[in-house]
Amino acid sequence: MLWEGGTGQPGYYSRAQGCADGAAAFLMAQAVIAQPSGSVIYFAVPEASAQDGAAVRYFEGVNQAF
């Protein structure tokens, strides 16, 4: 599954938002599409988020949710 949330607006990609998106993606994978346990969920963030460190904080939140 590919999870692409947000609007690309500055400030969206935070640790808290990563935690919320991670939890939502996990729930969708398990309950909605019956994705096999242990399979991959990909997340997409804009390149600009990687440059200012927001992507790192966002993925820390995703990891926390999982």
Side-chain angles (χ1 to χ4, degrees):
M1 173 171 71
L2 171 63
W3 184 270
E4 187 173 14
T7 61
Q9 296 295 329
Y12 177 86
Y13 296 97
S14 65
R15 184 181 181 105
Q17 190 61 55
C19 191
D21 285 353
F26 186 82
L27 180 63
M28 178 176 280
Q30 298 249 309
V32 177
I33 65 171
Q35 184 169 329
S37 183
S39 61
V40 178
I41 300 174
Y42 293 95
F43 288 79
V45 298
E47 186 177 332
S49 296
Q51 294 173 353
D52 70 2
V56 171
R57 293 185 295 276
Y58 179 79
F59 286 117
E60 288 171 348
V62 169
N63 189 49
Q64 181 182 347
F66 278 36

